[in-house]
Amino acid sequence: MIKLSKASKMPGRSWSLQALDTCPGSKKRDGSLVDACSGCYATTGNYRFKNVKAPREHNREDWKRDQWVDDMVAELDNDRYFRWFDSGDVYDVRLAFKILEVMKRTPWCNHWLPTRMHKFSKFGSVLAEMSALPNVVVRLSSDSITGDTVEGPQTSTIATLDNVPGDALVCEAYSREGKCGPCRACWSKDVALVCYIGHGKSMEKKQRDIIARVA
């Protein structure tokens, strides 16, 4: 059974997994979390409730079904904007290839897939195949919370308003109660770099500490 989520911020639905458990790219070699994943929003607030966790835990097994791709394609019949992973990541290459097939078979739907799996070479070819599709944006996520970026056709980073990279489009959700509103930049191939503004007291403190260390 396909179980999708609908974050109030976004214009469409999402297919998600449990955060951190399916995010190998969130960890450094020593096992600690990268800055961008420390205090992950998908481990706090409503994401802690059993009824919110349940579909994400279900999805971790459900995608392995032979019928999953067909069911996803049918489920997306009326969707025009879709996000993969408002929590979690495409942690398994087999899942990545199944998602690729869904993307190919739903050309009417604009897919956005944010990911840190670009760190692992075995994902390179399938992420490139996804990115080559006209209806797909694979946005490679930086680990930074102070505006450092990664290379790629479409990427993202986190920063403060004072250190936004010069070529970035700033996500203005921070100024409208966390909502996308009319903006669809994350789904646009024309937007090379999206910069999200860090929010929350713990994130802001961490950003100040990092900026102070390198000053």
Side-chain angles (χ1 to χ4, degrees), residues 175-186:
S175 68
R176 46 180 175 245
E177 299 181 338
K179 299 183 185 298
C180 293
C183 180
R184 300 293 181 269
C186 292

Side-chain angles (χ1 to χ4, degrees), residues 12-176:
R13 299 186 294 171
S14 180
W15 187 90
S16 301
L17 298 169
Q18 191 62 20
L20 303 184
D21 293 346
T22 59
C23 301
S26 70
K27 297 177 182 177
K28 304 176 186 177
R29 289 185 177 180
D30 64 3
S32 62
L33 294 175
V34 301
D35 291 334
C37 298
S38 179
C40 172
Y41 70 88
T43 63
T44 61
N46 290 341
Y47 285 89
R48 294 175 296 177
F49 298 154
K50 287 184 178 180
N51 65 316
V52 177
K53 288 182 177 181
R56 289 161 173 78
E57 293 169 347
H58 164 85
N59 287 345
R60 188 166 183 176
E61 295 303 319
D62 189 54
W63 71 263
K64 300 171 185 177
R65 293 186 295 112
D66 291 341
Q67 193 68 20
W68 184 81
V69 170
D70 290 339
D71 289 348
M72 277 297 302
V73 171
E75 182 68 29
L76 296 180
D77 184 52
N78 292 313
D79 289 69
R80 295 299 175 263
Y81 288 92
F82 190 77
R83 174 177 176 172
W84 293 93
F85 307 107
D86 66 70
S87 65
D89 205 341
V90 55
Y91 70 103
D92 190 303
V93 171
R94 295 169 298 172
L95 171 59
F97 277 105
K98 283 194 170 186
I99 290 174
L100 171 63
E101 186 64 21
V102 174
M103 292 168 167
K104 287 179 177 178
R105 290 173 54 184
T106 55
W108 61 83
C109 183
N110 295 285
H111 297 264
W112 162 35
L113 191 153
T115 185
R116 287 190 166 77
M117 300 311 292
H118 58 88
K119 297 178 180 181
F120 305 100
S121 59
K122 65 181 179 180
F123 286 86
S125 62
V126 65
L127 293 179
E129 282 192 67
M130 291 177 181
S131 187
L133 295 173
N135 61 320
V136 176
V137 168
V138 175
R139 203 164 284 283
L140 310 183
S141 301
S142 167
D143 293 337
S144 174
I145 59 174
T146 55
D148 293 337
T149 60
V150 295
E151 292 186 5
Q154 286 88 34
T155 67
S156 68
T157 190
I158 299 171
T160 69
L161 283 172
D162 295 328
N163 63 358
V164 173
D167 56 345
L169 184 148
V170 175
C171 170
E172 296 186 356
Y174 76 93
S175 68
R176 46 180 175 245

